Amino acid sequence: MAVEDVTKRKQAPTTPLTNKLSPQLSSIRQSEVSCESSNVMFVPERYLLAGLLLFRLVNAFLIQTFFVPDEFWQGPEVAHRIVFGYGYLTWEWREGLRGWSFPLIFATSYKFLALFGVDTAKFLVVVPRLVQACFASCGDLFLYKLAVRRFGPQSGIWTLICYLISWFTIYCVTRTLTNSLETVLTTIALYYWPSTHIRDNDNSNEISKALSFAAFSCIIRPTAAIIWIPLCAMYLLSSPNKSLFIFKCIFPIGCLAMLWSLVANSWLYEKWTLVEVNFVKFNVINDMGTFYGSHPWHWYFTQGFPVVMFTHLIPFAFGVYKASPRQQNLAWLILWTIVVYSFLGHKEFRFIFPMVPLAMCYCGLFVSSQSDKKEKTSEGDLAAVLRPGWKTKIIVFFLAITNIPLALYTSTVHQKGTVDVMEYIQVESSKLRSNDDMSVLFLMPCHSTPFYSFVHRDISMRILECPPSDKPGYIDEADQFYMHPSLWLLEHFGNSSGHQEEVRLPTHIVLYNVLLPDISGVLGDFLYRECATFFHTHFPEGRIGSEVLVYCHQKAM
């Protein structure tokens, strides 16, 4: 049904006063009927999805850099262990803090590759990101549909455009992070979630769909519940039939989700494990995440959200201002989520990624509001969007030239060395007759590189461990090494002139160039020579250098 037809039926009798206020009334009516215009789409859904899928596949191939360890160590690495029998499990898996549902997704794709005999290292690197690209394209489509339903068709297309050119979305959405899949699932769930609580019987089917996707997002990442607690509470309070909502929607879906989590995780952990309880106890009650860094309470407001949104922050602010009170519920949801996350000591940009699609709805609303009056008269006409006014052109051009170069730089250049070095290790390992002929020691901050999911060969690889602990005076292995690097090497390698034959030295050592001045003498004494160098970043900081170096033992060269 076209939006203008719905508006005509809802118009009040014409009076001189309504004639004077017609522009304002038209805007209000548009917002009121936006929920009924969810079927108004500029492009058929199947064609739009195909285009978005192609875009995200290109996006996935574009990613050549390292963002955070969880991208590899909590997804593909665990999946590799499930399917091929070897792979590194971090301390979280030993403590029962992680759910197996997320790596099982990639394990399924690995199993298919193995069944068809094409489980090469290159395919194992690419396929998980292609799987995530498929999820991401679905999230793009449902964001467009969400914006159309809540803000109108023209706002919907501009929301999608703003989201597609967002630097952080391009950089993050096709990475194998739980946050990326959580973002997709949250967007889909919010599309089905009703913006009005009038007809419970009519809404129950869509509410069930919304809660199903929400439950899956909570299984993938328990903190996703932060978004749904106020939504469910408000719906329950305003619903005339509370028992229907509880016993037909919340109770059965919640029980099925918890049952799946309990059975799947207990089966793979080989003991009864309720991951969600362990996760909340560790991260919320004990706040042990601060072991890996803490930030002040205002960090998400002063750094996190502004960096993630970047120049989109300007149209977002204006969009929230222009939104009607009924359209501001997503803004309140963004604020609620950021406030709750602010109470946790450990903060990261990716934690608030699910808020980015919601924020883009307001960017789309503002861009749409800058269209010429002639364009606004044809809300369902794609040509009106393809021929934007000069204000719209300036805004979109500004967003594009500030976001796309940054996305390209961070995706293809910044922090590239730790990925390239694993490709080098994989090539070197493929030349071996036996897995015992190669061993690698990573003298880097813990989890700085991908691991067996990139190498796909069961060679010996060792990293500096850094599990957290609440014991007083506890210092993890990585910190111990960086306190006295040369001494640590001598203790582990033995005396170069004495009993070095008793210790099997690694054939390869991987390190950042900033560490070289501290251990170059020891490396030379033990007959190590530089055999490869990889650019990493233009912005070295602390223990992270501008280059990743590989030192090879002379016997291995």
Side-chain angles (χ1 to χ4, degrees):
M1 183 185 298
V3 177
E4 54 265 30
D5 294 337
V6 179
T7 307
K8 287 177 182 178
R9 294 209 310 267
K10 290 183 175 285
Q11 285 177 340
T14 304
T15 65
L17 179 60
T18 57
N19 285 335
K20 293 180 180 179
L21 298 178
S22 58
Q24 292 83 348
L25 291 174
S26 176
S27 175
I28 295 173
R29 292 188 191 105
Q30 176 60 36
S31 67
E32 292 297 320
V33 301
S34 61
C35 293
E36 301 180 36
S37 62
S38 58
N39 293 326
V40 179
M41 298 183 68
F42 291 129
V43 182
E45 185 171 321
R46 62 182 181 276
Y47 296 126
L48 180 58
L49 180 59
L52 292 171
L53 177 58
L54 178 61
F55 179 84
R56 288 305 178 197
L57 290 175
V58 174
N59 189 170
F61 279 107
L62 186 71
I63 302 297
Q64 303 170 27
T65 56
F66 186 95
F67 178 24
V68 290
D70 283 11
E71 176 184 357
F72 306 104
W73 293 80
Q74 307 302 342
E77 188 66 23
V78 181
H80 192 278
R81 184 182 180 91
I82 294 173
V83 177
F84 301 107
Y86 63 96
Y88 189 96
L89 293 183
T90 59
W91 62 268
E92 294 103 320
W93 297 93
R94 296 192 290 269
E95 297 294 329
L97 298 177
R98 298 284 183 174
W100 292 87
S101 298
F102 183 65
L104 279 174
I105 297 172
F106 305 117
T108 303
S109 64
Y110 283 171
K111 192 64 177 178
F112 275 108
L113 292 176
L115 289 174
F116 288 100
V118 290
D119 53 321
T120 64
K122 290 188 180 298
F123 276 128
L124 294 183
V125 171
V126 171
V127 167
R129 282 183 179 163
L130 298 184
V131 171
Q132 181 57 37
C134 295
F135 290 134
S137 62
C138 293
D140 297 340
L141 176 64
F142 275 89
L143 172 61
Y144 170 60
K145 295 170 68 174
L146 171 66
V148 168
R149 171 172 285 190
R150 299 290 183 97
F151 299 92
Q154 193 162 328
S155 295
I157 195 67
W158 289 118
T159 294
L160 180 59
I161 291 172
C162 288
Y163 187 62
L164 293 179
I165 62 176
S166 163
W167 85 271
F168 193 76
T169 301
I170 295 173
Y171 179 60
C172 194
V173 76
T174 59
R175 294 181 184 270
T176 51
L177 286 164
T178 54
N179 311 91
S180 300
L181 185 54
E182 176 196 0
T183 299
V184 171
L185 295 172
T186 300
T187 304
I188 297 174
L190 286 173
Y191 165 74
Y192 287 114
W193 188 258
S195 59
T196 178
H197 313 319
I198 297 175
R199 297 183 299 274
D200 285 65
N201 291 330
D202 295 339
N203 289 338
S204 60
N205 187 38
E206 290 207 336
I207 290 177
S208 296
K209 292 180 181 178
L211 291 177
S212 297
F213 283 103
F216 189 28
S217 69
C218 293
I219 290 174
I220 297 298
R221 188 166 180 83
T223 49
I226 293 172
I227 299 173
W228 295 98
I229 290 173
L231 290 176
C232 291
M234 292 176 64
Y235 191 93
L236 183 63
L237 290 174
S238 61
S239 174
N241 196 340
K242 296 177 174 57
S243 60
L244 178 67
F245 178 59
I246 294 174
F247 294 105
K248 187 177 179 180
C249 299
I250 290 183
F251 186 75
I253 293 173
C255 287
L256 285 174
M258 293 302 296
L259 181 63
W260 162 259
S261 176
L262 178 63
V263 172
N265 291 322
S266 298
W267 171 49
L268 289 165
Y269 275 119
E270 299 181 346
K271 62 179 180 179
W272 289 106
T273 305
L274 195 57
V275 168
E276 290 74 17
V277 173
N278 295 341
F279 185 91
V280 171
K281 181 180 178 181
F282 181 88
N283 289 286
V284 179
I285 298 176
N286 297 330
D287 201 16
M288 290 292 290
T290 55
F291 184 84
Y292 297 103
S294 61
H295 301 84
W297 67 268
H298 55 76
W299 186 84
Y300 281 122
F301 293 97
T302 57
Q303 297 183 53
F305 193 67
V307 168
V308 167
M309 291 297 292
F310 196 40
T311 52
H312 283 84
L313 193 64
I314 301 171
F316 165 74
F318 283 109
V320 172
Y321 177 76
K322 284 183 170 292
S324 66
R326 183 177 172 183
Q327 292 173 327
Q328 289 179 340
N329 55 355
L330 293 181
W332 286 111
L333 188 61
I334 294 171
L335 179 62
W336 156 266
T337 305
I338 293 178
V339 167
V340 173
Y341 271 117
S342 296
F343 283 98
L344 300 177
H346 182 62
K347 301 175 177 65
E348 294 187 36
F349 295 110
R350 62 189 174 100
F351 291 171
I352 57 171
F353 188 26
M355 298 299 101
V356 173
L358 309 188
M360 291 299 163
C361 291
Y362 294 99
C363 295
L365 176 65
F366 174 71
V367 174
S368 177
S369 71
Q370 300 307 300
S371 302
D372 294 336
K373 292 182 179 179
K374 291 182 179 179
E375 296 170 17
K376 292 182 179 180
T377 61
S378 185
E379 288 280 357
D381 185 6
L382 178 59
V385 177
L386 297 179
R387 296 192 302 269
W390 66 271
K391 291 182 181 179
T392 303
K393 289 179 181 178
I394 291 176
I395 295 171
V396 175
F397 179 72
F398 170 71
L399 293 176
I401 64 171
T402 52
N403 279 266
I404 294 177
L406 180 58
L408 292 174
Y409 175 77
T410 54
S411 298
T412 62
V413 179
H414 180 59
Q415 297 190 154
K416 192 174 187 292
T418 50
V419 174
D420 290 342
V421 74
M422 296 311 294
E423 294 179 358
Y424 170 82
I425 296 297
Q426 189 278 319
V427 171
E428 291 296 302
S429 67
S430 65
K431 303 175 183 177
L432 303 175
R433 292 184 178 181
S434 170
N435 292 336
D436 295 333
D437 293 338
M438 185 175 183
S439 57
V440 186
L441 172 63
F442 294 84
L443 298 178
M444 314 171 82
C446 56
H447 312 124
S448 291
T449 67
F451 222 50
Y452 285 105
S453 60
F454 265 55
V455 177
H456 193 45
R457 186 147 187 181
D458 194 11
I459 61 174
S460 174
M461 295 197 293
R462 187 192 188 301
I463 64 170
L464 300 175
E465 297 280 357
C466 56
S469 174
D470 55 0
K471 295 179 180 179
Y474 169 75
I475 302 176
D476 63 48
E477 185 181 34
D479 286 338
Q480 291 177 23
F481 166 77
Y482 278 100
M483 289 171 63
H484 305 287
S486 297
L487 180 60
W488 189 93
L489 287 175
L490 290 173
E491 290 176 351
H492 286 75
F493 287 178
N495 191 311
S496 61
S497 60
H499 57 277
Q500 69 199 56
E501 296 299 329
E502 299 177 6
V503 179
R504 185 179 178 183
L505 300 178
T507 59
H508 297 73
I509 296 178
V510 182
L511 65 149
Y512 285 117
N513 60 334
V514 293
L515 181 63
L516 189 58
D518 295 327
I519 65 172
S520 58
V522 177
L523 294 178
D525 291 342
F526 283 92
L527 305 179
Y528 283 95
R529 299 292 181 267
E530 183 179 322
C531 54
T533 303
F534 302 95
F535 169 79
H536 184 62
T537 179
H538 291 107
F539 307 99
E541 181 181 4
R543 297 173 179 176
I544 298 176
S546 59
E547 294 178 333
V548 175
L549 309 179
V550 181
Y551 271 70
C552 304
H553 198 273
Q554 286 187 347
K555 292 181 180 180
M557 295 179 68

